[in-house]
Amino acid sequence: MKALRHLCLTLLVSLPLGVTAQSAGPGKPADFLDKEFHRQRREALRQKLPAHSVAVLFSNPLRNRANDVDFHFHQHPDFYYLTGYREPNAVLLLFSEQQVINGVATQEVLFAQPRNPQRESWTGKRLGEEGVKQHLGLTHALPATAFANLKLDTAAFDQILFLELPHDLRNDPGDKADLYDLVAQFRQKIGLKPGQDFAHQELYQIIRMYGGQAGDRVQQEVRRQMAANPDLGSNVFLKSYAEAKDASARAALVANMPAEKFDLSALEKILAELRETKLPEEMKLLRKAIAMSAIGQVEVMKAMHPNMSETEVQGIHEFVYKKYGAEYEGYPSIVGAGNNGCILHYIDNEKPRLGNELVLMDLGAEYHGYTADVTRTIPANGKFTPEQKQIYELVYAAQEAGFKECKVGNAFNAPNTAAQKLMADGLVKLGIIKSPEEARRYTMHGVSHYLGLDVHDRGTYGPFKPNTVITVEPGIYIPEGSPCDKKWWGIGVRIEDDVLITENGWENLSAAAPRTIKDIEATMAKPSPLDNFKLPELR
Ligand code: GLY
Ligand code: MN
Ligand code: MN
């Protein structure tokens, strides 16, 4: 009924709003990654495929916002990395050896949204299969409507690799080859019954990636899921993993895991290896995204005053990004004054007046796919109070300790270990906690993640490699009502910078955003072009 109403409204009023065919090509900015980059990435992935295998990747779907309005489309980062394609409703197949697809010998084929002049007149130009070949350089492309008839002879492949299939797709009745249809057709091709899932492969994936020496928690999770799901309870491998006596028994099992015909972990692992280290073309875009995000912090520091709202602060950052040509924010912007700054991912940003609070601002521009992730915490009135200063200085020192661990070969967790120790000792010294073990109450999150096409980017979490970008972002959050002196309540501080790990050390890519108390207060004392930007009162 809802679908019918949707269709009627669509025909009467308009086509759904919100999708734009964003494709590299004529009339687009010239500094996108070029087709040679994406070709090389596909080639690098194929080199890592097991023999006699195929990797199947789906684009993102178009998501509905409300009624006949859709969200702005954002491509799946893996799909973008491998193709440069920026439209929904597509599927990519990469073969380890050449195959003949509809009479064409090829190692790759992209099933693309078909051209549709009527829809394109509402939502923008589509590349279509010819455009995909011409502008993106795929050797073979077909319309997505041809995927239904593709004979995927599963017996001819030793392994079929794909990522977790989306479970939450909407079926557009007017489109016979939207992502809902493509995923359903794929499930049928590989013999998956409707509703049948991959619970055991999903567990295999977790075990393969994290379940060896350090897999205590993974083992507990396996036991929990086996108890809850009888299908898993009878799986021989999972049974022996659940019963493994110690870390070395677990590691031995992980080393000898059976290869799966339908494998949900191999592709994820390959993509993590590829995306963890950045190529020079990627660094150019990532540096731009980070530079404009740091400049956004500077402009807000100059413009901020206690009468501003959290939303207005957000708007200034995002205006700076747009002025530099960034398409999106890399994640929903976080602007939290006072106690709101103690909510780690506070995105409501609705406090009407900052007052004299500390304001935590965690925002990042996304520029041509690559996202920054920069946080500064500043006093709305331009001057830190003594308590704010003490917490800020502790977080600052923890970040410095974290930076020192950003060295090739160090464990991924090294910055976190150093920063957490410093904060725990410091919180004891300030009398906020009695022993370092209590610190995690106020320092709830880890200090680093990879950064790139995703804000929490893919990576192996192994020892640091050169040309990797990570964040170093310690934080202390003391919400109102915490069991400590009231003078600390409502102080939330995070300082987050984006760090490139190089052969010889590290580079702070977001250093242009002031970070010391002295520099922040000096920047906040400067005039802003927005000081004289007055709008009429709304009645
Ligand atoms: N902005 C999200 C994060 O810092 O991880
Ligand atoms: Mn972060
Ligand atoms: Mn952040």
Side-chain angles (χ1 to χ4, degrees):
M1 192 60 196
K2 183 132 193 278
L4 189 66
R5 193 169 66 92
H6 175 80
L7 188 67
C8 293
L9 270 178
T10 296
L11 292 175
L12 285 173
V13 182
S14 71
L15 284 172
L17 295 171
V19 59
T20 31
Q22 303 168 23
S23 311
K28 305 289 174 187
D31 58 342
F32 271 97
L33 293 169
D34 65 13
K35 58 184 173 185
E36 182 54 18
F37 171 87
H38 299 293
R39 189 194 66 73
Q40 283 181 8
R41 296 296 80 204
R42 292 195 296 279
E43 189 50 39
L45 187 140
R46 275 193 292 262
Q47 295 292 328
K48 289 175 180 272
L49 285 181
H52 312 299
S53 68
V54 53
V56 181
L57 292 108
F58 292 91
S59 75
N60 264 348
L62 193 55
R63 297 270 178 208
N64 185 248
R65 185 172 184 274
N67 196 12
D68 60 347
V69 177
D70 291 324
F71 280 108
H72 200 288
F73 175 70
H74 190 268
Q75 188 55 284
H76 191 298
D78 291 321
F79 205 91
Y80 182 66
Y81 186 72
L82 295 169
T83 63
Y85 190 63
R86 300 200 300 152
E87 297 176 36
N89 306 324
V91 52
L92 172 72
L93 274 63
L94 299 172
F95 303 103
S96 57
E97 290 86 17
Q98 204 159 67
Q99 306 289 322
V100 176
I101 303 292
N102 288 21
V104 176
T106 184
Q107 274 188 276
E108 60 190 26
V109 56
L110 194 157
F111 290 84
Q113 277 204 122
R115 298 292 309 271
N116 180 332
Q118 197 233 351
R119 283 214 170 188
E120 286 178 49
S121 72
W122 286 91
T123 57
K125 199 162 153 42
R126 298 177 177 188
L127 280 182
E129 62 276 15
E130 287 312 316
V132 162
K133 286 189 270 187
Q134 188 189 338
H135 295 296
L136 306 182
L138 272 286
T139 59
H140 195 27
L142 290 165
T145 40
F147 187 62
N149 296 325
L150 172 79
K151 300 261 174 300
L152 190 67
D153 179 7
T154 53
F157 296 102
D158 288 348
Q159 284 190 288
I160 298 176
L161 277 50
F162 48 97
L163 303 170
E164 192 179 342
L165 297 174
H167 302 290
D168 57 346
L169 300 172
R170 178 178 56 132
N171 189 9
D172 175 355
D175 186 344
K176 290 280 169 281
D178 64 4
L179 205 71
Y180 179 94
D181 300 306
L182 297 175
V183 170
Q185 289 157 10
F186 177 65
R187 290 176 67 99
Q188 201 175 27
K189 287 181 207 300
I190 63 172
L192 259 191
K193 294 179 201 75
Q196 186 181 345
D197 66 15
F198 281 102
H200 81 275
Q201 276 99 338
E202 282 165 17
L203 274 184
Y204 279 20
Q205 173 188 4
I206 298 167
I207 294 171
R208 204 174 257 127
M209 295 186 77
Y210 312 110
Q213 288 287 350
D216 287 27
R217 280 172 54 200
V218 175
Q219 196 175 24
Q220 282 165 25
E221 176 63 14
V222 169
R223 287 178 186 150
R224 194 189 64 73
Q225 289 204 26
M226 287 177 77
N229 180 344
D231 286 351
L232 295 176
S234 57
N235 180 297
V236 177
F237 172 77
L238 289 179
K239 204 157 175 290
S240 41
Y241 183 82
E243 287 166 4
K245 278 196 202 50
D246 52 25
S248 57
R250 278 198 308 262
L253 280 166
V254 172
N256 294 306
M257 275 181 81
E260 287 281 292
K261 176 100 180 180
F262 303 131
D263 191 314
L264 276 90
S265 59
L267 188 54
E268 193 161 324
K269 188 159 176 280
I270 294 171
L271 286 161
E273 286 163 6
L274 294 177
R275 284 178 52 187
E276 177 173 339
T277 53
K278 272 42 181 190
L279 294 170
E281 303 92 307
E282 297 182 277
M283 281 312 303
K284 242 183 172 166
L285 300 178
L286 193 46
R287 277 180 186 279
K288 263 194 184 170
I290 296 168
M292 64 182 76
S293 305
I295 292 170
Q297 295 281 358
V298 174
E299 289 306 316
V300 169
M301 286 181 195
K302 292 194 291 190
M304 187 178 281
H305 54 75
N307 285 328
M308 266 186 184
S309 68
E310 291 174 346
T311 309
E312 186 177 354
V313 172
Q314 172 184 352
I316 301 170
H317 282 277
E318 293 176 5
F319 171 70
V320 172
Y321 307 165
K322 297 287 180 196
K323 189 139 174 78
Y324 283 111
E327 293 87 352
Y328 308 102
E329 295 78 54
Y331 51 92
S333 300
I334 298 166
V335 178
N339 210 44
N340 291 342
C342 299
I343 300 167
L344 300 182
H345 285 172
Y346 170 79
I347 58 172
D348 291 342
N349 307 347
E350 63 187 359
K351 192 177 173 121
R353 190 174 178 275
L354 303 174
N356 291 325
E357 307 274 20
L358 261 190
V359 187
L360 188 153
M361 309 180 294
D362 180 346
L363 306 92
E366 181 181 308
Y367 186 76
H368 298 4
Y370 287 82
T371 180
D373 185 8
V374 180
T375 308
R376 289 294 182 265
T377 308
I378 64 175
N381 61 14
K383 276 269 169 227
F384 286 83
T385 66
E387 285 77 25
Q388 292 169 352
K389 216 175 227 177
Q390 287 178 86
I391 300 296
Y392 191 93
E393 275 168 353
L394 184 49
V395 177
Y396 182 92
Q399 197 192 26
E400 290 286 311
F403 286 149
K404 287 206 186 84
E405 299 300 326
C406 295
K407 280 189 217 144
V408 168
N410 268 10
F412 182 86
N413 208 31
N416 185 55
T417 309
Q420 295 290 356
K421 179 167 177 11
L422 214 131
M423 289 191 288
D425 293 345
L427 285 168
V428 173
K429 266 191 210 135
L430 292 175
I432 293 171
I433 52 174
K434 291 204 171 60
S435 80
E437 291 73 50
E438 297 166 49
R440 286 315 282 256
R441 171 182 199 113
Y442 300 116
T443 66
M444 305 81 122
H445 61 78
V447 156
S448 297
H449 54 78
Y450 297 104
L451 188 67
L453 285 170
D454 276 299
V455 61
H456 298 161
D457 212 35
R458 286 200 187 279
T460 61
Y461 294 89
F464 288 134
K465 300 187 185 99
N467 305 318
T468 301
V469 180
I470 62 160
T471 62
V472 179
E473 50 171 311
I476 294 178
Y477 314 90
I478 313 179
E480 279 164 15
S482 296
C484 61
D485 192 318
K486 274 187 178 171
K487 67 179 181 176
W488 305 111
W489 288 6
I491 298 181
V493 175
R494 175 156 71 250
I495 315 175
E496 174 169 32
D497 282 85
D498 303 339
V499 169
L500 171 67
I501 296 176
T502 64
E503 292 283 358
N504 308 315
W506 59 277
E507 178 187 347
N508 184 353
L509 302 174
S510 42
R515 204 164 59 83
T516 62
I517 286 180
K518 187 164 158 260
D519 288 348
I520 290 171
E521 289 186 347
T523 308
M524 293 187 80
K526 288 185 182 165
S528 157
L530 292 171
D531 292 342
N532 299 317
F533 184 66
K534 305 272 187 265
L535 293 172
E537 287 286 326
L538 290 184
R539 270 188 262 159

